[in-house]
mmCIF file of all heavy atoms in Angstrom:
data_model
loop_
_atom_site.group_PDB
_atom_site.id
_atom_site.type_symbol
_atom_site.label_atom_id
_atom_site.label_comp_id
_atom_site.label_asym_id
_atom_site.label_seq_id
_atom_site.Cartn_x
_atom_site.Cartn_y
_atom_site.Cartn_z
ATOM 1 N N PRO B 1591 10.756 -136.549 92.130
ATOM 2 C CA PRO B 1591 9.597 -136.880 92.994
ATOM 3 C C PRO B 1591 8.909 -138.195 92.491
ATOM 4 O O PRO B 1591 8.937 -138.572 91.300
ATOM 5 C CB PRO B 1591 8.663 -135.684 92.716
ATOM 6 C CG PRO B 1591 9.051 -135.114 91.457
ATOM 7 C CD PRO B 1591 10.529 -135.450 91.261
ATOM 8 N N PRO B 1592 8.228 -138.831 93.424
ATOM 9 C CA PRO B 1592 7.506 -140.008 92.982
ATOM 10 C C PRO B 1592 6.370 -139.663 91.978
ATOM 11 O O PRO B 1592 5.874 -138.528 92.033
ATOM 12 C CB PRO B 1592 6.856 -140.599 94.298
ATOM 13 C CG PRO B 1592 7.473 -139.862 95.423
ATOM 14 C CD PRO B 1592 8.084 -138.587 94.808
ATOM 15 N N ARG B 1593 5.948 -140.553 91.185
ATOM 16 C CA ARG B 1593 4.797 -140.355 90.256
ATOM 17 C C ARG B 1593 3.758 -141.483 90.547
ATOM 18 O O ARG B 1593 4.084 -142.429 91.250
ATOM 19 C CB ARG B 1593 5.292 -140.399 88.822
ATOM 20 C CG ARG B 1593 6.321 -139.251 88.617
ATOM 21 C CD ARG B 1593 6.925 -139.367 87.215
ATOM 22 N NE ARG B 1593 8.349 -138.979 87.344
ATOM 23 C CZ ARG B 1593 9.241 -139.192 86.297
ATOM 24 N NH1 ARG B 1593 8.886 -139.654 85.199
ATOM 25 N NH2 ARG B 1593 10.492 -138.838 86.424
ATOM 26 N N TYR B 1594 2.740 -141.368 89.870
ATOM 27 C CA TYR B 1594 1.673 -142.333 89.998
ATOM 28 C C TYR B 1594 1.895 -143.511 89.102
ATOM 29 O O TYR B 1594 1.381 -143.543 87.967
ATOM 30 C CB TYR B 1594 0.241 -141.721 89.837
ATOM 31 C CG TYR B 1594 0.092 -140.423 90.533
ATOM 32 C CD1 TYR B 1594 0.126 -139.232 89.858
ATOM 33 C CD2 TYR B 1594 -0.184 -140.395 91.947
ATOM 34 C CE1 TYR B 1594 -0.006 -138.027 90.490
ATOM 35 C CE2 TYR B 1594 -0.355 -139.252 92.561
ATOM 36 C CZ TYR B 1594 -0.312 -137.970 91.876
ATOM 37 O OH TYR B 1594 -0.469 -136.801 92.523
ATOM 38 N N SER B 1595 2.588 -144.522 89.530
ATOM 39 C CA SER B 1595 3.079 -145.547 88.634
ATOM 40 C C SER B 1595 2.060 -146.672 88.466
ATOM 41 O O SER B 1595 1.406 -147.126 89.527
ATOM 42 C CB SER B 1595 4.434 -146.125 89.130
ATOM 43 O OG SER B 1595 5.416 -145.071 89.016
ATOM 44 N N MET B 1596 2.012 -147.271 87.375
ATOM 45 C CA MET B 1596 1.077 -148.382 87.096
ATOM 46 C C MET B 1596 1.773 -149.547 86.494
ATOM 47 O O MET B 1596 2.287 -150.401 87.123
ATOM 48 C CB MET B 1596 0.007 -147.844 86.129
ATOM 49 C CG MET B 1596 -0.771 -146.654 86.605
ATOM 50 S SD MET B 1596 -1.876 -147.010 87.962
ATOM 51 C CE MET B 1596 -3.429 -147.093 87.129
ATOM 52 N N GLY B 1597 1.763 -149.643 85.176
ATOM 53 C CA GLY B 1597 2.409 -150.786 84.502
ATOM 54 C C GLY B 1597 3.913 -150.636 84.388
ATOM 55 O O GLY B 1597 4.449 -149.458 84.380
ATOM 56 N N VAL B 1598 4.634 -151.743 84.401
ATOM 57 C CA VAL B 1598 6.045 -151.755 84.274
ATOM 58 C C VAL B 1598 6.512 -152.825 83.389
ATOM 59 O O VAL B 1598 5.951 -153.928 83.451
ATOM 60 C CB VAL B 1598 6.754 -151.728 85.626
ATOM 61 C CG1 VAL B 1598 6.215 -152.962 86.452
ATOM 62 C CG2 VAL B 1598 8.218 -151.809 85.601
ATOM 63 N N ALA B 1599 7.504 -152.518 82.475
ATOM 64 C CA ALA B 1599 8.088 -153.556 81.618
ATOM 65 C C ALA B 1599 9.564 -153.497 81.698
ATOM 66 O O ALA B 1599 10.194 -152.410 81.659
ATOM 67 C CB ALA B 1599 7.608 -153.343 80.157
ATOM 68 N N ALA B 1600 10.206 -154.681 81.853
ATOM 69 C CA ALA B 1600 11.606 -154.689 81.765
ATOM 70 C C ALA B 1600 11.973 -155.061 80.373
ATOM 71 O O ALA B 1600 11.420 -155.898 79.717
ATOM 72 C CB ALA B 1600 12.196 -155.855 82.738
ATOM 73 N N LEU B 1601 12.874 -154.266 79.763
ATOM 74 C CA LEU B 1601 13.228 -154.429 78.357
ATOM 75 C C LEU B 1601 14.672 -153.812 78.207
ATOM 76 O O LEU B 1601 15.070 -152.935 78.966
ATOM 77 C CB LEU B 1601 12.294 -153.797 77.432
ATOM 78 C CG LEU B 1601 12.402 -152.278 77.297
ATOM 79 C CD1 LEU B 1601 11.774 -151.839 76.005
ATOM 80 C CD2 LEU B 1601 11.596 -151.562 78.409
ATOM 81 N N ASP B 1602 15.396 -154.284 77.219
ATOM 82 C CA ASP B 1602 16.616 -153.713 76.878
ATOM 83 C C ASP B 1602 16.450 -152.585 75.932
ATOM 84 O O ASP B 1602 16.444 -152.721 74.683
ATOM 85 C CB ASP B 1602 17.555 -154.720 76.292
ATOM 86 C CG ASP B 1602 18.935 -154.240 75.969
ATOM 87 O OD1 ASP B 1602 19.229 -153.080 76.395
ATOM 88 O OD2 ASP B 1602 19.793 -154.937 75.380
ATOM 89 N N ALA B 1603 16.089 -151.422 76.424
ATOM 90 C CA ALA B 1603 15.706 -150.295 75.573
ATOM 91 C C ALA B 1603 16.819 -149.752 74.762
ATOM 92 O O ALA B 1603 16.626 -149.197 73.670
ATOM 93 C CB ALA B 1603 15.028 -149.208 76.451
ATOM 94 N N ASP B 1604 18.066 -149.763 75.299
ATOM 95 C CA ASP B 1604 19.210 -149.109 74.614
ATOM 96 C C ASP B 1604 20.065 -150.150 73.989
ATOM 97 O O ASP B 1604 21.151 -149.785 73.500
ATOM 98 C CB ASP B 1604 19.956 -148.271 75.554
ATOM 99 C CG ASP B 1604 20.381 -148.963 76.821
ATOM 100 O OD1 ASP B 1604 20.067 -150.186 76.908
ATOM 101 O OD2 ASP B 1604 20.919 -148.311 77.749
ATOM 102 N N GLY B 1605 19.699 -151.443 73.985
ATOM 103 C CA GLY B 1605 20.401 -152.444 73.234
ATOM 104 C C GLY B 1605 21.844 -152.723 73.765
ATOM 105 O O GLY B 1605 22.708 -153.257 73.148
ATOM 106 N N ASP B 1606 22.131 -152.420 75.108
ATOM 107 C CA ASP B 1606 23.442 -152.629 75.610
ATOM 108 C C ASP B 1606 23.446 -153.930 76.334
ATOM 109 O O ASP B 1606 24.477 -154.259 77.029
ATOM 110 C CB ASP B 1606 23.856 -151.497 76.550
ATOM 111 C CG ASP B 1606 22.860 -151.375 77.787
ATOM 112 O OD1 ASP B 1606 21.915 -152.137 77.815
ATOM 113 O OD2 ASP B 1606 23.145 -150.473 78.574
ATOM 114 N N GLY B 1607 22.380 -154.756 76.326
ATOM 115 C CA GLY B 1607 22.457 -156.051 76.907
ATOM 116 C C GLY B 1607 21.933 -156.154 78.378
ATOM 117 O O GLY B 1607 21.704 -157.251 78.839
ATOM 118 N N ASP B 1608 21.716 -155.032 79.001
ATOM 119 C CA ASP B 1608 21.207 -155.167 80.327
ATOM 120 C C ASP B 1608 19.772 -154.646 80.353
ATOM 121 O O ASP B 1608 19.309 -153.873 79.518
ATOM 122 C CB ASP B 1608 22.051 -154.466 81.391
ATOM 123 C CG ASP B 1608 22.281 -152.962 81.115
ATOM 124 O OD1 ASP B 1608 21.410 -152.335 80.410
ATOM 125 O OD2 ASP B 1608 23.314 -152.385 81.601
ATOM 126 N N PRO B 1609 18.912 -155.061 81.312
ATOM 127 C CA PRO B 1609 17.548 -154.713 81.321
ATOM 128 C C PRO B 1609 17.290 -153.353 81.848
ATOM 129 O O PRO B 1609 17.832 -152.971 82.919
ATOM 130 C CB PRO B 1609 16.930 -155.725 82.227
ATOM 131 C CG PRO B 1609 18.006 -156.159 83.155
ATOM 132 C CD PRO B 1609 19.286 -156.029 82.389
ATOM 133 N N ASP B 1610 16.546 -152.549 81.072
ATOM 134 C CA ASP B 1610 16.013 -151.227 81.535
ATOM 135 C C ASP B 1610 14.583 -151.395 81.991
ATOM 136 O O ASP B 1610 14.048 -152.496 81.780
ATOM 137 C CB ASP B 1610 16.190 -150.184 80.399
ATOM 138 C CG ASP B 1610 17.551 -150.319 79.695
ATOM 139 O OD1 ASP B 1610 18.539 -150.033 80.456
ATOM 140 O OD2 ASP B 1610 17.707 -150.675 78.564
ATOM 141 N N LEU B 1611 14.045 -150.324 82.478
ATOM 142 C CA LEU B 1611 12.670 -150.434 82.986
ATOM 143 C C LEU B 1611 11.814 -149.234 82.439
ATOM 144 O O LEU B 1611 12.200 -148.091 82.590
ATOM 145 C CB LEU B 1611 12.554 -150.369 84.477
ATOM 146 C CG LEU B 1611 13.026 -151.618 85.197
ATOM 147 C CD1 LEU B 1611 13.403 -151.310 86.711
ATOM 148 C CD2 LEU B 1611 11.947 -152.704 85.208
ATOM 149 N N PHE B 1612 10.723 -149.602 81.823
ATOM 150 C CA PHE B 1612 9.795 -148.623 81.437
ATOM 151 C C PHE B 1612 8.680 -148.650 82.488
ATOM 152 O O PHE B 1612 8.093 -149.670 82.728
ATOM 153 C CB PHE B 1612 9.221 -148.833 80.004
ATOM 154 C CG PHE B 1612 8.148 -147.821 79.669
ATOM 155 C CD1 PHE B 1612 8.452 -146.621 79.090
ATOM 156 C CD2 PHE B 1612 6.785 -148.099 79.943
ATOM 157 C CE1 PHE B 1612 7.506 -145.711 78.725
ATOM 158 C CE2 PHE B 1612 5.811 -147.165 79.623
ATOM 159 C CZ PHE B 1612 6.143 -145.942 79.067
ATOM 160 N N VAL B 1613 8.301 -147.425 82.930
ATOM 161 C CA VAL B 1613 7.206 -147.349 83.916
ATOM 162 C C VAL B 1613 6.130 -146.443 83.364
ATOM 163 O O VAL B 1613 6.464 -145.268 83.099
ATOM 164 C CB VAL B 1613 7.755 -146.858 85.336
ATOM 165 C CG1 VAL B 1613 6.572 -146.889 86.310
ATOM 166 C CG2 VAL B 1613 8.847 -147.784 85.832
ATOM 167 N N ALA B 1614 4.904 -146.981 83.229
ATOM 168 C CA ALA B 1614 3.812 -146.140 82.788
ATOM 169 C C ALA B 1614 3.268 -145.385 83.996
ATOM 170 O O ALA B 1614 2.856 -146.041 85.030
ATOM 171 C CB ALA B 1614 2.756 -147.019 82.180
ATOM 172 N N ASN B 1615 3.199 -144.074 83.882
ATOM 173 C CA ASN B 1615 2.770 -143.252 85.020
ATOM 174 C C ASN B 1615 1.435 -142.584 84.629
ATOM 175 O O ASN B 1615 1.219 -142.106 83.589
ATOM 176 C CB ASN B 1615 3.760 -142.204 85.438
ATOM 177 C CG ASN B 1615 5.002 -142.845 85.977
ATOM 178 O OD1 ASN B 1615 4.940 -143.736 86.790
ATOM 179 N ND2 ASN B 1615 6.209 -142.346 85.566
#
Side-chain angles (χ1 to χ4, degrees):
Chain B
R1593 298 171 219 172
Y1594 311 105
S1595 297
M1596 302 289 257
V1598 53
L1601 75 157
D1602 183 6
D1604 53 4
D1606 65 355
D1608 58 24
D1610 311 298
L1611 284 163
F1612 175 87
V1613 182
N1615 291 317

